[in-house]
Amino acid sequence: MNYIAGDYEIIVVGGGHAGCESALSAARLGHKTLLLTLNLDSVALMPCNPSIGGTGKGHLVREIDALGGEMGKNIDKTMIQCRMLNTAKGPAVHSLRAQADKLMYQKEMKMTLEKQDNLHIKQHEVVSLQVEDGKVTGVVVKTGAIFKSKIVVLTTGTYLKSRIVIGNTSYDGGPNGLFGANELSDSLFENGVKLLRFKTGTPARVDKRSVDFSKMIIQEGDKNIVPFSFETDELEIDQIPCYLTYTNEETHQVIKDNLHLSPLFSGDIQGVGPRYCPSIEDKVVRFSDKPKHQIFVEPEGRDTYELYVQGMSSSLPEEVQLKMLRTVEGMENVEIMRLAYAIEYDNIDPLQLKPSLEFKTIENLFFAGQINGTSGYEEAAAQGLMAGINASRKLKGSEPLILDRSQAYIGVLIDDIVTKGTLEPYRMMTSRAEYRLILRQDNADIRLTDIGRKIGLIGEERYLKFTTKVKMIENEIERIKKVSIKPNSDLEALFAAKSSTFSNKGFTLYELLKRPEMSYFELEKFDPDRPELPKNVIEQVEIQIKYEGYIKKQMNQVEQFKKLEKKKIPESIDYEKINGLRLEARQKLSKIQPISIGHASRISGVSPADISVLLVYMENFRRKESSKANE
Amino acid sequence: MNYLEDTIVAISTPVGFSGIGIVRMSGENSVEITKEIFKTKTKKDFDDYDNRSIIYGHIIDGSGEVIDEVLVSKMLGPNTYTKEDVIEINCHGGMISVRKILELIVEKGARIAEPGEFTKRAFLNGRLDLSQAEAVIDVINAKTEKSLQMSVKQLEGSLSYKVKTIRNQLIEILAYIEAGIDYPEYDIEEMSYEIIREKTNLIKESIDKMILSSESGKIIREGIKTAIVGKPNVGKSSLLNMLLGEERAIVTEIEGTTRDTIEEYISIKGIPLKIIDTAGIRETENIIEKIGITKTKEILAQSDFAILLLDGQRPLDAEDEMLLELAKDKKGIVAINKVEKNVIISKKEVEEKSHMEVVEISVIEELGIDNLRNKIYENITKSQIDSESYDMVSNIRHINLLKEASKSLEEGLEGIKANIPVEMLSVDIKNAWDKMGRITGETVADDIVDEIFSKFCIGK
């Protein structure tokens, strides 16, 4: 029976990592918001690996935090181990990763949602969208109830028509034994949304008591934990280790012998899987010369015996899974608690989205997270936050917030999917960011707090703390430029120890810090007037001085890049009317509807000559408009 | 308002046989750049000249060497074609000086204009009216088409192969670096800085070789040093004049130039030959005297290519024999002249005495000249002066990109020395990869991601 069950400004469909950020930001920006989820116990569920962050992804979490999102704070509250990855490399690729207590993570996030003003959370399955005159007006749930809304954000993750495959067994269902959502994709299809079908998978969870850690390599967390959130001052937790072990020839033989039973190879799975999350059978087939593959054994939480077996994603049958796991050193007697499975699901072609994440042909409908063809909790959360912010801005009649590729990994992520589309679940990688040296995890606050403040998600107190930090960094760099150090035997000894080139003419502290082998800390005794500064300030000072040359080089590239980004293309442009565009370019431009000349130039199939034609046309257009205005 | 503030430059006369070459520059740095490379012949500085003057002087390179005598037109915006400051340099022509000047200007910071870019700027800066917009688009498309055809032609074969090879080597290094960065915990054999340094060095060397072959490869910039030798009265001067065609007049008849300072070039199917001792060839032509052995030796020694002229109407004598002997280690061609009548010596006879290819011509009757040109071209291109370098250097944009790629690798090597973090090194290598890609038009960043996943077994 249809009846109007509620009227909201913003409805978010889906309570995963994207949905949580969307709903929280929408509510925090003052909108009457409703979060609908299939199951209230699966809010912020981590159905795959028990960790947040990692290369590229850690950057995303810090950016989410700098803009006023929740993920960073939530993992700070619930982590059971934390590591800064890549510390042997330079600061631009340092990446935070924490192991989460999965249940705690969910519980904390759900609590945050519940406590949030302006936000209702309800358990319902959304079965269709209500669209009138090209505008979304609400959603219908399974019971027939209608929730009206000015804006709808779809963050349905991997639940649309999801199908679980384990060997030759397959059934309709969502991740982790939950129900899928079988009706909503039909409604999307009827409304002209182009759907794709992707595939992903997760490894088995095994019982800790059946694993012999003594045969594995222990992996501890960092002694000093750097929190994800810029608001978390210090973190001290009792850390739980992970373990490393390997597959071997025997494992590979088991897999090879049973390959015909894998739906990935028998053709039973049609969906496109991600290359960076290969199943173990994929790895063994594609890299047949590798004698062993790494397996990371990670705890799923403090209060559970369940362990996640990273590196063993599979869709092989149950008995083969067990046989295969038991060949691995330390897992000879392993007991599986949850089977590995592959999952297929409907997602949308993200080329249908504007960079604001609004759907191009249905107004007020936004999409975020895995439904857009991405992969990963962090990628989902980043989009969720942006969709929430832009939903709010749409309601307020403001310009959407579009971060560009030089501002944030979030910008790279969204620009990539809405400009190039994706043929597999899209994962963030630092190598996707062309301005990686600037987009560091350590300076995410410097890059984005101002924006978060303007948007309205960063409060007064935090902002003050931030501006104080910035000022301290500037002052210290200025001071360091003026400190001169006279050569003496101590200094010479330090130089010798560092095999650094010494000179008797003396140095400024600034010059010394520029040398890769010299650190701020070690130069303390030559710098008696040094002020006492917080660690994160010293870190910035050191990075900014040490890598100035490279950072400047990249800033110049950014400047060039920005010139073309600033040339906005009017929404009313009709590419069919532009003579001189090649057919392919015309089709691509009409489809993607780039927002700027820079954006257009990143579309494959649009040549520099097409860009010239476009520039000429735009100038022509501008003149016509201004002469009209003068009449 | 300019849509881009950079300064662009292009040769605005067709490259090839045209006598006068015009190099045109537009943009805010046009005047600054001109001041760096142009010296007036008067006491007045460039700045002292009024707008719209035509100024006489020299183009001088970084080492102070005079490249050419030129007339410079100073046209300050906004009353110019592009509405920007425009400088036009009229030089004596021949590709050589035009190209040298273009290169010099690029070195000083201008960018080679895209096809139709002057016209595009003219439009974007409001110079052309609305009705011309369509025409502008046509121009852009036509010129792009033409330059595309040209570069496609150039890219067929060796250059494109070389560029691709180098890019493959670079992306291999990048894949190692990037996989190591994005998958720090996986067992990926890391490429040590020592190995990266070695590989980068080798790659840089091959890029530098490509640049070098363009710069000192004797082709295009310098021309192939060519000797025309033979007995007095054998027709050296006539042959030279014939091969020079129209160009000679331009090169030699401009006030203030002398035959000593301005070298003469002949263009054989686009390959410039720089003729040694043109003055000598002309002066001695009508004087009845013995061939100067020392002088001939000297000329041959300087040359990369020799054209030996024999008189078909006189029997081979001691002088001819000596010439053939002197030139026995040279690359070149023997031309039997005056075959229009009363031929005494046969092609076969000469072929027995020389390793060079022998052709028969008549300069007076203009017989066999095309054949001579063809044979010269073939002998140059098939010989050690390889045609690859010719493919390459014919495009200054390419040279420039090669130089930029080499510079990036240089910076990377310095970085390795200073032990910079790997993600910074990656910037330099990626830049080089990107620049090389622009030569062939391939710069898709996703290639790196693809390479990582095809090379390494990573992921949870």
Side-chain angles (χ1 to χ4, degrees):
Chain A
M1 191 196 84
N2 285 1
Y3 78 105
I4 306 287
D7 198 343
Y8 292 86
E9 282 189 289
I10 297 174
I11 290 179
V12 178
V13 181
H17 305 284
C20 290
E21 297 289 352
S22 269
L24 284 171
S25 53
R28 284 168 181 168
L29 291 170
H31 304 285
K32 190 182 170 197
T33 305
L34 170 65
L35 176 79
L36 291 170
T37 172
L38 278 172
N39 189 331
L40 268 173
D41 292 331
S42 60
V43 165
L45 177 74
M46 303 171 82
C48 197
N49 56 320
S51 64
I52 298 279
T55 49
K57 292 162 173 273
H59 291 70
L60 285 172
V61 180
R62 296 214 109 194
E63 290 175 357
I64 291 167
D65 186 72
L67 289 168
E70 195 61 30
M71 185 173 245
K73 291 192 184 81
N74 206 57
I75 182 63
D76 282 348
K77 284 186 238 170
T78 57
M79 65 168 70
I80 54 177
Q81 193 207 87
C82 192
R83 284 181 68 189
M84 184 69 87
L85 304 176
N86 266 337
T87 47
K89 304 187 176 80
V93 294
H94 290 183
S95 294
L96 265 180
R97 190 195 54 206
Q99 301 303 130
D101 183 312
K102 283 187 170 183
L103 281 177
M104 281 297 289
Y105 189 91
Q106 285 187 257
K107 197 179 140 202
E108 285 291 343
M109 187 61 94
K110 183 161 175 250
M111 190 99 90
T112 304
L113 291 170
E114 286 171 0
K115 284 184 189 158
Q116 180 61 48
D117 290 344
N118 301 325
L119 179 60
H120 292 173
I121 22 180
K122 293 181 193 294
Q123 178 167 307
H124 269 301
E125 179 188 344
V126 173
V127 294
S128 68
L129 287 181
Q130 292 207 312
V131 179
E132 286 164 33
D133 304 328
K135 266 189 191 180
V136 73
T137 57
V139 298
V140 184
V141 300
K142 191 97 174 178
T143 58
I146 297 168
F147 291 93
K148 291 301 223 185
S149 184
K150 294 197 174 78
I151 289 199
V152 172
V153 183
L154 293 184
T155 59
T156 58
T158 59
Y159 287 77
L160 296 185
K161 285 206 173 142
S162 48
R163 189 171 75 114
I164 300 295
V165 188
I166 303 168
N168 56 8
T169 309
S170 78
Y171 53 90
D172 290 342
N176 213 19
L178 291 153
F179 288 109
N182 291 319
E183 293 173 57
L184 186 55
S185 12
D186 293 336
S187 166
L188 291 176
F189 184 77
E190 280 158 22
N191 281 296
V193 178
K194 185 187 165 198
L195 297 169
L196 304 172
R197 197 146 173 91
F198 279 0
K199 170 241 141 179
T200 188
T202 195
R205 311 299 192 275
V206 300
D207 190 325
K208 183 178 171 180
R209 291 166 297 180
S210 65
V211 173
D212 182 358
F213 291 130
S214 70
K215 293 181 176 171
M216 301 181 177
I217 303 157
I218 190 163
Q219 303 214 302
E220 309 266 14
D222 289 345
K223 283 214 174 64
N224 296 312
I225 294 179
V226 178
F228 276 88
S229 172
F230 292 98
E231 279 198 284
T232 310
D233 281 331
E234 248 169 56
L235 265 183
E236 259 184 67
I237 54 164
D238 182 16
Q239 298 193 67
I240 301 179
C242 298
Y243 292 88
L244 170 64
T245 180
Y246 292 91
T247 63
N248 50 46
E249 297 292 352
E250 203 189 332
T251 323
H252 299 178
Q253 199 52 50
V254 172
I255 292 165
K256 282 179 203 156
D257 291 346
N258 291 284
L259 218 46
H260 58 286
L261 300 173
S262 166
L264 295 174
F265 290 85
S266 67
D268 192 32
I269 290 187
Q270 304 287 344
V272 186
R275 285 172 297 179
Y276 44 79
C277 254
S279 62
I280 186 68
E281 45 268 42
D282 253 342
K283 290 186 196 177
V284 169
V285 170
R286 284 188 52 223
F287 297 91
S288 54
D289 54 329
K290 269 200 105 177
K292 59 178 187 177
H293 294 279
Q294 285 164 309
I295 294 175
F296 296 94
V297 180
E298 307 171 23
E300 294 249 309
R302 268 188 212 287
D303 309 317
T304 173
Y305 289 132
E306 281 193 84
L307 296 172
Y308 176 88
V309 189
Q310 195 208 127
M312 287 290 249
S313 284
S314 176
S315 57
L316 284 164
E318 184 171 359
E319 67 278 19
V320 183
Q321 286 189 26
L322 188 63
K323 200 171 169 193
M324 157 179 102
L325 282 172
R326 287 192 171 168
T327 61
V328 174
E329 216 169 338
M331 295 216 242
E332 292 81 358
N333 301 305
V334 80
E335 287 296 336
I336 294 178
M337 293 177 74
R338 299 183 203 222
L339 285 170
Y341 61 83
I343 180 168
E344 276 192 318
Y345 54 95
D346 286 350
N347 57 290
I348 69 158
D349 179 352
L351 291 177
Q352 300 165 102
L353 300 175
K354 299 178 187 178
S356 63
L357 298 178
E358 188 177 15
F359 199 77
K360 278 171 191 162
T361 54
I362 303 173
E363 210 183 335
N364 296 338
L365 177 63
F366 289 73
F367 287 82
Q370 256 174 310
I371 191 174
N372 288 344
T374 62
S375 157
Y377 314 139
E378 305 82 357
E379 287 86 344
Q383 293 170 63
L385 174 66
M386 296 306 286
I389 289 171
N390 284 330
S392 160
R393 295 182 72 78
K394 177 97 195 214
L395 284 176
K396 290 174 180 162
S398 342
E399 285 290 301
L401 172 65
I402 294 162
L403 298 173
D404 72 39
R405 302 183 73 88
S406 70
Q407 286 176 300
Y409 273 79
I410 298 176
V412 174
L413 163 70
I414 295 176
D415 185 66
D416 272 349
I417 62 170
V418 306
T419 309
K420 298 180 198 154
T422 182
L423 297 172
E424 63 179 346
Y426 177 103
R427 180 204 198 272
M428 195 68 240
M429 294 169 71
T430 72
S431 32
R432 295 193 197 270
E434 45 280 81
Y435 309 115
R436 183 166 66 189
L437 300 188
I438 294 169
L439 305 186
R440 302 189 306 274
Q441 58 91 30
D442 61 72
N443 70 357
D445 58 339
I446 298 176
R447 290 184 277 125
L448 299 170
T449 307
D450 270 325
I451 295 173
R453 173 78 179 147
K454 275 186 204 117
I455 294 297
L457 290 173
I458 298 291
E460 183 72 41
E461 192 187 338
R462 175 168 178 183
Y463 190 65
L464 194 70
K465 202 172 136 192
F466 163 72
T467 48
T468 313
K469 174 182 169 186
V470 171
K471 197 82 216 146
M472 279 195 271
I473 296 166
E474 285 168 4
N475 290 345
E476 179 62 359
I477 291 178
E478 277 319 299
R479 188 191 71 84
I480 284 173
K481 282 183 177 167
K482 288 178 203 139
V483 176
S484 65
I485 299 178
K486 298 220 163 49
N488 60 35
S489 56
D490 278 354
L491 190 65
E492 203 170 349
L494 177 69
F495 271 64
K498 299 270 168 195
S499 37
S500 200
T501 324
F502 188 71
S503 140
N504 274 318
K505 68 174 175 46
F507 302 92
T508 64
L509 183 54
Y510 186 73
E511 283 166 346
L512 287 187
L513 270 177
K514 275 196 167 312
R515 303 189 174 200
E517 65 275 12
M518 296 290 180
S519 78
Y520 183 85
F521 172 73
E522 284 167 318
L523 290 165
E524 187 172 7
K525 66 173 168 178
F526 307 101
D527 183 18
D529 304 327
R530 179 175 287 189
E532 192 133 332
L533 293 167
K535 257 200 319 215
N536 58 8
V537 169
I538 294 171
E539 182 188 27
Q540 281 311 306
V541 167
E542 193 152 21
I543 291 171
Q544 288 185 23
I545 292 176
K546 201 159 253 69
Y547 305 114
E548 192 191 16
Y550 272 84
I551 291 171
K552 263 196 186 147
K553 219 194 279 183
Q554 198 132 72
M555 289 303 276
N556 289 340
Q557 291 174 345
V558 168
E559 240 169 67
Q560 291 302 316
F561 160 82
K562 290 262 191 193
K563 272 186 198 165
L564 292 178
E565 295 304 300
K566 278 186 194 140
K567 290 211 110 24
K568 297 290 178 212
I569 299 176
E571 256 185 65
S572 58
I573 197 163
D574 181 355
Y575 294 101
E576 293 304 322
K577 286 195 184 138
I578 306 179
N579 291 328
L581 281 179
R582 287 166 320 109
L583 183 64
E584 187 193 0
R586 186 173 306 183
Q587 289 169 344
K588 289 271 179 69
L589 288 164
S590 303
K591 184 176 177 195
I592 314 268
Q593 296 174 23
I595 54 169
S596 67
I597 291 291
H599 189 192
S601 68
R602 287 192 292 278
I603 299 170
S604 69
V606 175
S607 73
D610 295 319
I611 294 295
S612 291
V613 169
L614 201 53
L615 277 167
V616 169
Y617 179 85
M618 278 168 55
E619 173 62 17
N620 200 346
F621 181 84
R622 192 191 61 78
R623 282 188 216 172
K624 272 185 192 154
E625 292 293 304
S626 69
S627 68
K628 256 190 237 162
N630 290 340
E631 271 161 24
Chain B
M1 188 195 75
N2 299 345
Y3 92 95
L4 279 174
E5 296 85 16
D6 56 355
T7 299
I8 53 171
V9 62
I11 300 173
S12 67
T13 42
V15 176
F17 293 93
S18 139
I20 292 176
I22 299 175
V23 177
R24 183 195 278 166
M25 214 184 334
S26 177
E28 63 175 8
N29 291 327
S30 301
V31 170
E32 282 311 305
I33 292 173
T34 308
K35 279 155 65 181
E36 284 183 52
I37 63 165
F38 175 64
K39 238 181 110 184
T40 61
K41 279 290 237 183
T42 59
K43 284 190 179 136
K44 273 165 80 174
D45 279 343
F46 185 76
D47 281 338
D48 301 334
Y49 282 92
D50 292 338
N51 189 14
R52 314 202 78 75
S53 343
I54 295 177
I55 309 154
Y56 174 61
H58 282 144
I59 297 292
I60 293 180
D61 70 11
S63 60
E65 195 181 314
V66 174
I67 289 178
D68 201 358
E69 281 189 304
V70 295
L71 292 173
V72 170
S73 311
K74 176 178 179 178
M75 295 172 281
L76 303 180
N79 294 318
T80 63
Y81 182 62
T82 57
K83 293 201 129 186
E84 302 169 338
D85 290 349
V86 171
I87 299 291
E88 278 184 3
I89 301 172
N90 289 253
C91 38
H92 288 156
M95 290 181 266
I96 316 301
S97 61
V98 174
R99 278 174 184 275
K100 273 190 178 168
I101 292 169
L102 183 67
E103 277 185 43
L104 197 58
I105 290 173
V106 170
E107 255 170 50
K108 299 290 177 197
R111 167 172 69 75
I112 306 259
E114 295 160 18
E117 193 170 3
F118 285 93
T119 311
K120 183 169 84 184
R121 285 198 175 193
F123 176 77
L124 293 178
N125 294 331
R127 172 72 166 64
L128 305 178
D129 66 39
L130 291 177
S131 63
Q132 287 170 290
E134 296 291 296
V136 173
I137 289 174
D138 288 346
V139 168
I140 290 169
N141 275 336
K143 289 204 177 173
T144 307
E145 191 60 29
K146 202 174 151 206
S147 78
L148 214 63
Q149 278 170 5
M150 277 170 62
S151 60
V152 164
K153 215 170 135 197
Q154 242 156 13
L155 288 171
E156 280 168 6
S158 56
L159 171 63
S160 146
Y161 178 75
K162 271 190 180 171
V163 168
K164 281 195 179 130
T165 310
I166 288 176
R167 289 194 93 219
N168 284 341
Q169 293 165 340
L170 288 170
I171 206 172
E172 194 202 348
I173 301 178
L174 280 175
Y176 271 93
I177 294 179
E178 295 301 325
I181 288 174
D182 272 321
Y183 292 91
E185 293 179 303
Y186 283 78
D187 293 329
I188 307 164
E189 17 163 357
E190 296 229 350
M191 216 184 243
S192 69
Y193 267 23
E194 185 48 33
I195 292 174
I196 296 178
R197 191 184 61 77
E198 268 169 36
K199 286 186 183 262
T200 307
N201 247 330
L202 285 177
I203 296 168
K204 186 176 175 293
E205 266 171 33
S206 41
I207 294 176
D208 286 346
K209 227 156 103 189
M210 289 166 84
I211 298 169
L212 212 65
S213 70
S214 72
E215 288 184 331
S216 62
K218 295 157 183 165
I219 304 185
I220 295 298
R221 265 180 62 127
E222 301 298 332
I224 296 177
K225 285 190 203 141
T226 305
I228 301 179
V229 290
K231 290 186 290 202
N233 238 350
V234 72
K236 297 194 292 285
S237 180
S238 321
L239 177 66
L240 174 65
N241 287 346
M242 174 158 289
L243 292 176
L244 279 170
E246 291 305 300
E247 206 171 359
R248 181 182 57 89
I250 309 298
V251 176
T252 58
E253 288 181 3
I254 293 206
E255 193 189 345
T257 66
T258 69
R259 288 176 179 176
D260 292 334
T261 57
I262 301 294
E263 282 132 350
E264 289 188 85
Y265 292 87
I266 54 180
S267 178
I268 303 285
K269 293 180 153 197
I271 299 184
L273 307 188
K274 175 174 165 182
I275 308 301
I276 300 169
D277 190 37
T278 52
I281 289 171
R282 295 208 172 86
E283 278 160 17
T284 58
E285 184 64 6
N286 295 317
I287 304 164
I288 308 296
E289 58 166 356
K290 292 253 172 187
I291 184 170
I293 298 177
T294 326
K295 181 101 193 219
T296 306
K297 259 191 185 165
E298 211 176 274
I299 291 168
L300 281 173
Q302 284 176 33
S303 70
D304 301 312
F305 191 83
I307 302 171
L308 263 55
L309 267 189
L310 301 176
D311 189 335
Q313 297 176 3
R314 287 186 277 172
L316 283 180
D317 57 18
E319 279 183 288
D320 293 323
E321 302 268 357
M322 188 195 65
L323 262 183
L324 291 170
E325 174 63 26
L326 283 175
K328 75 172 191 298
D329 296 326
K330 292 243 70 107
K331 261 178 297 298
I333 195 158
V334 181
I336 306 172
N337 191 19
K338 307 187 188 176
V339 296
E340 66 277 4
K341 61 177 180 186
N342 305 330
V343 191
I344 295 174
I345 55 175
S346 74
K347 201 174 152 187
K348 210 180 153 209
E349 183 186 357
V350 181
E351 275 168 354
E352 279 166 15
K353 293 177 193 289
S354 172
H355 68 285
M356 294 180 184
E357 197 166 351
V358 182
V359 296
E360 298 172 311
I361 59 167
S362 165
V363 177
I364 289 176
E365 300 279 324
E366 296 187 22
L367 294 172
I369 302 300
D370 281 345
N371 184 42
L372 175 67
R373 284 180 180 274
N374 286 338
K375 294 296 178 192
I376 292 175
Y377 179 81
E378 280 173 25
N379 275 283
I380 287 174
T381 50
K382 81 174 179 202
S383 65
Q384 75 194 38
I385 308 160
D386 58 24
S387 53
E388 286 175 20
S389 46
Y390 172 63
D391 285 343
M392 188 185 317
V393 291
S394 52
N395 192 325
I396 288 203
R397 195 180 69 87
H398 294 171
I399 297 181
N400 223 43
L401 287 165
L402 288 171
K403 283 186 178 167
E404 288 176 28
S406 173
K407 194 177 155 229
S408 291
L409 293 181
E410 177 76 51
E411 287 169 1
L413 287 167
E414 277 168 25
I416 291 177
K417 224 188 273 171
N419 207 17
I420 54 162
V422 68
E423 76 269 24
M424 301 194 183
L425 178 59
S426 165
V427 172
D428 291 323
I429 294 176
K430 202 164 159 204
N431 273 345
W433 177 74
D434 189 59
K435 301 288 183 204
M436 295 300 284
R438 286 190 201 184
I439 296 176
T440 50
E442 304 159 278
T443 49
V444 194
D446 286 345
D447 288 0
I448 299 177
V449 174
D450 292 342
E451 182 78 9
I452 294 174
F453 289 119
S454 67
K455 224 181 185 81
F456 304 105
C457 181
I458 38 187
K460 63 181 167 79

